[in-house]
Amino acid sequence: AQKVTQAQTEISVVEKEDVTLDCVYETRDTTYYLFWYKQPPSGELVFLIRRNSFDEQNEISGRYSWNFQKSTSSFNFTITASQVVDSAVYFCALSDPETGANNLFFGTGTRLTVIP
Amino acid sequence: GAGVSQSPRYKVAKRGQDVALRCDPISGHVSLFWYQQALGQGPEFLTYFQNEAQLDKSGLPSDRFFAERPEGSVSTLKIQRTQQEDSAVYLCASSRDQETQYFGPGTRLLVL
């Protein structure tokens, strides 16, 4: 069965601090995709990144970076020099096409508050 | 281009009423998904369409929930005889490549 765990329910940081959001996943399959989405107060889920299970390269996009480690089944997300606009709920998700299902399995989310 | 749109954005229903929620996917996206998001939780899968075919409805919580996509574009999620536990945000997503899903703003349903 697929499962995504985001152990951090809420995090508060002061502006310009770095923050890492943790994500641990479970799946029995070798081919899968991992995602991060941002949900600002407006409610819309905004796609941030997709990673397939065969690509363990870390990725950096501006102030965002992602660390994928298959050995620990983790896909952590770091925001460098946080800004107030980063305040949102962040969701990690897994899709598992090997099972024939195309739906996403979401974690419970981490609410990030950046204090000015 | 335009993103996924959903209407209405907010819906208040009395217990027992039927509701219909609409989703307009991104043009050209063959896959369409519905999710339910309870307060403080992550979205949970309801159902999936590829074009007009409903390929997976394993997440629909009861037979009061029904979804359709008759022409392979716009989709409607219908909830009959609404109950208080149906109160949630209903999210629609579409994808072109069955990998990255793009979400709409959601419909917030409150059943009184």
Side-chain angles (χ1 to χ4, degrees), chain A residues 1 8 10-11 14 22 40 42 45 47-49 59 61-62 64 72 77 88 90 93 96-97 101 103 114 116:
Chain A
Q8 303 152 309
E10 294 190 29
I11 300 177
V14 177
D22 297 334
S42 60
L45 278 165
F47 167 73
L48 295 178
I49 190 171
E59 180 154 340
S61 176
Y64 295 170
T72 56
F77 173 31
Y90 290 86
D96 202 341
N103 51 291
V114 181

PDB file of all heavy atoms in Angstrom, chain A residues 1 8 10-11 14 22 40 42 45 47-49 59 61-62 64 72 77 88 90 93 96-97 101 103 114 116:
ATOM      1  N   ALA A   1       0.845  -1.189   0.000  1.00  0.00           N
ATOM      2  CA  ALA A   1       0.000   0.000   0.000  1.00  0.00           C
ATOM      3  C   ALA A   1       0.883   1.242   0.000  1.00  0.00           C
ATOM      4  O   ALA A   1       2.005   1.222   0.481  1.00  0.00           O
ATOM      5  CB  ALA A   1      -0.899   0.004   1.230  1.00  0.00           C
ATOM      6  N   GLN A   8       5.829  16.733  10.318  1.00  0.00           N
ATOM      7  CA  GLN A   8       5.755  18.102  10.836  1.00  0.00           C
ATOM      8  C   GLN A   8       4.371  18.676  10.493  1.00  0.00           C
ATOM      9  O   GLN A   8       4.059  18.884   9.336  1.00  0.00           O
ATOM     10  CB  GLN A   8       6.833  18.964  10.196  1.00  0.00           C
ATOM     11  CG  GLN A   8       8.237  18.459  10.385  1.00  0.00           C
ATOM     12  CD  GLN A   8       9.132  18.907   9.226  1.00  0.00           C
ATOM     13  OE1 GLN A   8       8.789  18.714   8.066  1.00  0.00           O
ATOM     14  NE2 GLN A   8      10.273  19.506   9.526  1.00  0.00           N
ATOM     15  N   GLU A  10       3.112  21.680  11.827  1.00  0.00           N
ATOM     16  CA  GLU A  10       3.247  23.134  11.677  1.00  0.00           C
ATOM     17  C   GLU A  10       4.683  23.535  11.956  1.00  0.00           C
ATOM     18  O   GLU A  10       5.324  22.992  12.862  1.00  0.00           O
ATOM     19  CB  GLU A  10       2.329  23.873  12.654  1.00  0.00           C
ATOM     20  CG  GLU A  10       0.853  23.679  12.401  1.00  0.00           C
ATOM     21  CD  GLU A  10      -0.009  24.617  13.224  1.00  0.00           C
ATOM     22  OE1 GLU A  10       0.463  25.722  13.553  1.00  0.00           O
ATOM     23  OE2 GLU A  10      -1.162  24.258  13.522  1.00  0.00           O
ATOM     24  N   ILE A  11       5.155  24.479  11.168  1.00  0.00           N
ATOM     25  CA  ILE A  11       6.486  25.049  11.383  1.00  0.00           C
ATOM     26  C   ILE A  11       6.375  26.558  11.287  1.00  0.00           C
ATOM     27  O   ILE A  11       5.711  27.073  10.386  1.00  0.00           O
ATOM     28  CB  ILE A  11       7.488  24.552  10.322  1.00  0.00           C
ATOM     29  CG1 ILE A  11       7.640  23.042  10.349  1.00  0.00           C
ATOM     30  CG2 ILE A  11       8.848  25.223  10.521  1.00  0.00           C
ATOM     31  CD1 ILE A  11       8.562  22.510   9.258  1.00  0.00           C
ATOM     32  N   VAL A  14      11.337  32.623  11.175  1.00  0.00           N
ATOM     33  CA  VAL A  14      11.441  34.052  10.958  1.00  0.00           C
ATOM     34  C   VAL A  14      11.954  34.271   9.539  1.00  0.00           C
ATOM     35  O   VAL A  14      12.772  33.501   9.025  1.00  0.00           O
ATOM     36  CB  VAL A  14      12.393  34.687  11.990  1.00  0.00           C
ATOM     37  CG1 VAL A  14      12.566  36.171  11.705  1.00  0.00           C
ATOM     38  CG2 VAL A  14      11.842  34.478  13.400  1.00  0.00           C
ATOM     39  N   ASP A  22       9.864  17.817   5.773  1.00  0.00           N
ATOM     40  CA  ASP A  22      10.184  16.406   5.610  1.00  0.00           C
ATOM     41  C   ASP A  22       9.037  15.633   4.967  1.00  0.00           C
ATOM     42  O   ASP A  22       7.857  15.936   5.196  1.00  0.00           O
ATOM     43  CB  ASP A  22      10.485  15.771   6.977  1.00  0.00           C
ATOM     44  CG  ASP A  22      11.705  16.394   7.643  1.00  0.00           C
ATOM     45  OD1 ASP A  22      12.581  16.912   6.922  1.00  0.00           O
ATOM     46  OD2 ASP A  22      11.772  16.351   8.886  1.00  0.00           O
ATOM     47  N   PRO A  40      -1.665  27.773  -0.811  1.00  0.00           N
ATOM     48  CA  PRO A  40      -1.767  29.054  -0.099  1.00  0.00           C
ATOM     49  C   PRO A  40      -3.171  29.222   0.470  1.00  0.00           C
ATOM     50  O   PRO A  40      -4.056  28.401   0.209  1.00  0.00           O
ATOM     51  CB  PRO A  40      -1.472  30.079  -1.197  1.00  0.00           C
ATOM     52  CG  PRO A  40      -1.814  29.386  -2.477  1.00  0.00           C
ATOM     53  CD  PRO A  40      -1.586  27.914  -2.249  1.00  0.00           C
ATOM     54  N   SER A  42      -5.590  30.836  -0.413  1.00  0.00           N
ATOM     55  CA  SER A  42      -6.644  30.852  -1.435  1.00  0.00           C
ATOM     56  C   SER A  42      -7.197  29.454  -1.707  1.00  0.00           C
ATOM     57  O   SER A  42      -8.300  29.312  -2.236  1.00  0.00           O
ATOM     58  CB  SER A  42      -6.120  31.444  -2.736  1.00  0.00           C
ATOM     59  OG  SER A  42      -5.034  30.667  -3.224  1.00  0.00           O
ATOM     60  N   LEU A  45      -4.185  24.216  -5.072  1.00  0.00           N
ATOM     61  CA  LEU A  45      -2.935  23.459  -4.981  1.00  0.00           C
ATOM     62  C   LEU A  45      -2.042  23.839  -6.150  1.00  0.00           C
ATOM     63  O   LEU A  45      -2.418  23.674  -7.307  1.00  0.00           O
ATOM     64  CB  LEU A  45      -3.221  21.965  -5.019  1.00  0.00           C
ATOM     65  CG  LEU A  45      -3.654  21.320  -3.702  1.00  0.00           C
ATOM     66  CD1 LEU A  45      -4.245  19.961  -3.956  1.00  0.00           C
ATOM     67  CD2 LEU A  45      -2.482  21.212  -2.748  1.00  0.00           C
ATOM     68  N   PHE A  47       1.370  23.230  -8.186  1.00  0.00           N
ATOM     69  CA  PHE A  47       2.412  22.238  -8.449  1.00  0.00           C
ATOM     70  C   PHE A  47       3.790  22.881  -8.316  1.00  0.00           C
ATOM     71  O   PHE A  47       4.046  23.956  -8.857  1.00  0.00           O
ATOM     72  CB  PHE A  47       2.216  21.678  -9.862  1.00  0.00           C
ATOM     73  CG  PHE A  47       3.369  20.881 -10.388  1.00  0.00           C
ATOM     74  CD1 PHE A  47       3.631  19.616  -9.899  1.00  0.00           C
ATOM     75  CD2 PHE A  47       4.192  21.400 -11.370  1.00  0.00           C
ATOM     76  CE1 PHE A  47       4.692  18.872 -10.387  1.00  0.00           C
ATOM     77  CE2 PHE A  47       5.262  20.667 -11.870  1.00  0.00           C
ATOM     78  CZ  PHE A  47       5.507  19.399 -11.378  1.00  0.00           C
ATOM     79  N   LEU A  48       4.682  22.192  -7.609  1.00  0.00           N
ATOM     80  CA  LEU A  48       6.051  22.684  -7.446  1.00  0.00           C
ATOM     81  C   LEU A  48       7.061  21.816  -8.182  1.00  0.00           C
ATOM     82  O   LEU A  48       7.920  22.318  -8.901  1.00  0.00           O
ATOM     83  CB  LEU A  48       6.424  22.748  -5.958  1.00  0.00           C
ATOM     84  CG  LEU A  48       5.631  23.736  -5.102  1.00  0.00           C
ATOM     85  CD1 LEU A  48       6.080  23.634  -3.650  1.00  0.00           C
ATOM     86  CD2 LEU A  48       5.772  25.154  -5.617  1.00  0.00           C
ATOM     87  N   ILE A  49       6.974  20.487  -7.977  1.00  0.00           N
ATOM     88  CA  ILE A  49       7.979  19.617  -8.576  1.00  0.00           C
ATOM     89  C   ILE A  49       7.436  18.201  -8.694  1.00  0.00           C
ATOM     90  O   ILE A  49       6.592  17.772  -7.908  1.00  0.00           O
ATOM     91  CB  ILE A  49       9.281  19.592  -7.760  1.00  0.00           C
ATOM     92  CG1 ILE A  49      10.389  18.865  -8.544  1.00  0.00           C
ATOM     93  CG2 ILE A  49       9.056  18.950  -6.392  1.00  0.00           C
ATOM     94  CD1 ILE A  49      11.755  18.986  -7.924  1.00  0.00           C
ATOM     95  N   GLU A  59      17.516  18.632  -6.844  1.00  0.00           N
ATOM     96  CA  GLU A  59      17.142  19.703  -7.757  1.00  0.00           C
ATOM     97  C   GLU A  59      17.028  21.017  -7.011  1.00  0.00           C
ATOM     98  O   GLU A  59      16.587  21.055  -5.864  1.00  0.00           O
ATOM     99  CB  GLU A  59      15.808  19.384  -8.439  1.00  0.00           C
ATOM    100  CG  GLU A  59      15.358  20.474  -9.401  1.00  0.00           C
ATOM    101  CD  GLU A  59      14.465  19.950 -10.492  1.00  0.00           C
ATOM    102  OE1 GLU A  59      14.468  18.737 -10.760  1.00  0.00           O
ATOM    103  OE2 GLU A  59      13.747  20.775 -11.095  1.00  0.00           O
ATOM    104  N   SER A  61      15.675  25.045  -7.577  1.00  0.00           N
ATOM    105  CA  SER A  61      14.960  26.011  -8.410  1.00  0.00           C
ATOM    106  C   SER A  61      14.829  27.290  -7.606  1.00  0.00           C
ATOM    107  O   SER A  61      13.962  27.406  -6.733  1.00  0.00           O
ATOM    108  CB  SER A  61      13.584  25.459  -8.791  1.00  0.00           C
ATOM    109  OG  SER A  61      12.845  26.415  -9.513  1.00  0.00           O
ATOM    110  N   GLY A  62      15.685  28.222  -7.868  1.00  0.00           N
ATOM    111  CA  GLY A  62      15.676  29.463  -7.103  1.00  0.00           C
ATOM    112  C   GLY A  62      15.954  29.203  -5.642  1.00  0.00           C
ATOM    113  O   GLY A  62      16.978  28.619  -5.282  1.00  0.00           O
ATOM    114  N   TYR A  64      14.206  27.229  -3.816  1.00  0.00           N
ATOM    115  CA  TYR A  64      13.695  25.901  -3.480  1.00  0.00           C
ATOM    116  C   TYR A  64      14.713  24.827  -3.868  1.00  0.00           C
ATOM    117  O   TYR A  64      15.343  24.916  -4.927  1.00  0.00           O
ATOM    118  CB  TYR A  64      12.407  25.610  -4.254  1.00  0.00           C
ATOM    119  CG  TYR A  64      11.215  26.474  -3.937  1.00  0.00           C
ATOM    120  CD1 TYR A  64      10.068  26.414  -4.737  1.00  0.00           C
ATOM    121  CD2 TYR A  64      11.188  27.336  -2.852  1.00  0.00           C
ATOM    122  CE1 TYR A  64       8.951  27.180  -4.459  1.00  0.00           C
ATOM    123  CE2 TYR A  64      10.082  28.108  -2.573  1.00  0.00           C
ATOM    124  CZ  TYR A  64       8.955  28.031  -3.381  1.00  0.00           C
ATOM    125  OH  TYR A  64       7.855  28.791  -3.102  1.00  0.00           O
ATOM    126  N   THR A  72      16.361   5.984   2.133  1.00  0.00           N
ATOM    127  CA  THR A  72      15.567   6.298   3.328  1.00  0.00           C
ATOM    128  C   THR A  72      14.113   6.610   2.977  1.00  0.00           C
ATOM    129  O   THR A  72      13.350   7.039   3.840  1.00  0.00           O
ATOM    130  CB  THR A  72      16.169   7.497   4.079  1.00  0.00           C
ATOM    131  OG1 THR A  72      16.266   8.614   3.170  1.00  0.00           O
ATOM    132  CG2 THR A  72      17.540   7.166   4.637  1.00  0.00           C
ATOM    133  N   PHE A  77      12.099  18.854   1.241  1.00  0.00           N
ATOM    134  CA  PHE A  77      11.971  20.122   0.523  1.00  0.00           C
ATOM    135  C   PHE A  77      12.535  21.231   1.398  1.00  0.00           C
ATOM    136  O   PHE A  77      12.116  21.384   2.545  1.00  0.00           O
ATOM    137  CB  PHE A  77      10.489  20.339   0.213  1.00  0.00           C
ATOM    138  CG  PHE A  77      10.112  21.667  -0.376  1.00  0.00           C
ATOM    139  CD1 PHE A  77      10.978  22.385  -1.194  1.00  0.00           C
ATOM    140  CD2 PHE A  77       8.852  22.201  -0.131  1.00  0.00           C
ATOM    141  CE1 PHE A  77      10.607  23.590  -1.754  1.00  0.00           C
ATOM    142  CE2 PHE A  77       8.467  23.411  -0.687  1.00  0.00           C
ATOM    143  CZ  PHE A  77       9.338  24.110  -1.495  1.00  0.00           C
ATOM    144  N   ALA A  88       2.206  28.922   3.724  1.00  0.00           N
ATOM    145  CA  ALA A  88       1.214  28.083   3.047  1.00  0.00           C
ATOM    146  C   ALA A  88       1.250  26.709   3.683  1.00  0.00           C
ATOM    147  O   ALA A  88       2.062  26.434   4.571  1.00  0.00           O
ATOM    148  CB  ALA A  88       1.532  27.965   1.552  1.00  0.00           C
ATOM    149  N   TYR A  90       2.090  22.903   2.705  1.00  0.00           N
ATOM    150  CA  TYR A  90       2.829  22.180   1.677  1.00  0.00           C
ATOM    151  C   TYR A  90       2.522  20.691   1.784  1.00  0.00           C
ATOM    152  O   TYR A  90       2.589  20.102   2.870  1.00  0.00           O
ATOM    153  CB  TYR A  90       4.331  22.421   1.836  1.00  0.00           C
ATOM    154  CG  TYR A  90       4.724  23.833   1.492  1.00  0.00           C
ATOM    155  CD1 TYR A  90       4.655  24.849   2.450  1.00  0.00           C
ATOM    156  CD2 TYR A  90       5.138  24.166   0.206  1.00  0.00           C
ATOM    157  CE1 TYR A  90       4.990  26.153   2.129  1.00  0.00           C
ATOM    158  CE2 TYR A  90       5.478  25.460  -0.121  1.00  0.00           C
ATOM    159  CZ  TYR A  90       5.408  26.460   0.841  1.00  0.00           C
ATOM    160  OH  TYR A  90       5.730  27.749   0.523  1.00  0.00           O
ATOM    161  N   ALA A  93       3.278  14.239  -2.178  1.00  0.00           N
ATOM    162  CA  ALA A  93       2.345  13.248  -2.733  1.00  0.00           C
ATOM    163  C   ALA A  93       3.100  12.211  -3.544  1.00  0.00           C
ATOM    164  O   ALA A  93       4.215  12.452  -4.028  1.00  0.00           O
ATOM    165  CB  ALA A  93       1.290  13.941  -3.594  1.00  0.00           C
ATOM    166  N   ASP A  96       1.631   6.066  -8.234  1.00  0.00           N
ATOM    167  CA  ASP A  96       2.180   4.733  -8.368  1.00  0.00           C
ATOM    168  C   ASP A  96       1.614   4.061  -9.618  1.00  0.00           C
ATOM    169  O   ASP A  96       0.723   3.231  -9.518  1.00  0.00           O
ATOM    170  CB  ASP A  96       1.809   3.941  -7.112  1.00  0.00           C
ATOM    171  CG  ASP A  96       2.740   2.780  -6.894  1.00  0.00           C
ATOM    172  OD1 ASP A  96       3.408   2.384  -7.857  1.00  0.00           O
ATOM    173  OD2 ASP A  96       2.772   2.271  -5.764  1.00  0.00           O
ATOM    174  N   PRO A  97       2.116   4.436 -10.789  1.00  0.00           N
ATOM    175  CA  PRO A  97       1.505   3.919 -12.019  1.00  0.00           C
ATOM    176  C   PRO A  97       1.608   2.413 -12.196  1.00  0.00           C
ATOM    177  O   PRO A  97       0.849   1.831 -12.959  1.00  0.00           O
ATOM    178  CB  PRO A  97       2.266   4.668 -13.122  1.00  0.00           C
ATOM    179  CG  PRO A  97       3.519   5.128 -12.486  1.00  0.00           C
ATOM    180  CD  PRO A  97       3.212   5.348 -11.040  1.00  0.00           C
ATOM    181  N   ALA A 101      -3.052   2.677 -11.023  1.00  0.00           N
ATOM    182  CA  ALA A 101      -3.751   3.844 -10.496  1.00  0.00           C
ATOM    183  C   ALA A 101      -2.959   5.097 -10.832  1.00  0.00           C
ATOM    184  O   ALA A 101      -1.744   5.125 -10.696  1.00  0.00           O
ATOM    185  CB  ALA A 101      -3.913   3.723  -8.988  1.00  0.00           C
ATOM    186  N   ASN A 103      -3.941   8.074  -9.506  1.00  0.00           N
ATOM    187  CA  ASN A 103      -4.259   9.096  -8.531  1.00  0.00           C
ATOM    188  C   ASN A 103      -3.072   9.367  -7.619  1.00  0.00           C
ATOM    189  O   ASN A 103      -2.137   8.571  -7.519  1.00  0.00           O
ATOM    190  CB  ASN A 103      -5.473   8.685  -7.702  1.00  0.00           C
ATOM    191  CG  ASN A 103      -5.326   7.299  -7.120  1.00  0.00           C
ATOM    192  OD1 ASN A 103      -5.344   6.318  -7.839  1.00  0.00           O
ATOM    193  ND2 ASN A 103      -5.177   7.213  -5.800  1.00  0.00           N
ATOM    194  N   VAL A 114       5.784  31.974   7.931  1.00  0.00           N
ATOM    195  CA  VAL A 114       6.997  32.780   7.919  1.00  0.00           C
ATOM    196  C   VAL A 114       6.669  34.120   8.555  1.00  0.00           C
ATOM    197  O   VAL A 114       5.816  34.864   8.061  1.00  0.00           O
ATOM    198  CB  VAL A 114       7.536  32.968   6.489  1.00  0.00           C
ATOM    199  CG1 VAL A 114       8.812  33.801   6.521  1.00  0.00           C
ATOM    200  CG2 VAL A 114       7.790  31.614   5.834  1.00  0.00           C
ATOM    201  N   PRO A 116       7.387  37.870   9.655  1.00  0.00           N
ATOM    202  CA  PRO A 116       8.224  38.986   9.164  1.00  0.00           C
ATOM    203  C   PRO A 116       9.081  39.607  10.266  1.00  0.00           C
ATOM    204  O   PRO A 116       8.822  39.429  11.446  1.00  0.00           O
ATOM    205  CB  PRO A 116       7.182  40.000   8.657  1.00  0.00           C
ATOM    206  CG  PRO A 116       5.923  39.640   9.312  1.00  0.00           C
ATOM    207  CD  PRO A 116       5.956  38.175   9.619  1.00  0.00           C
TER     208      PRO A 116
END
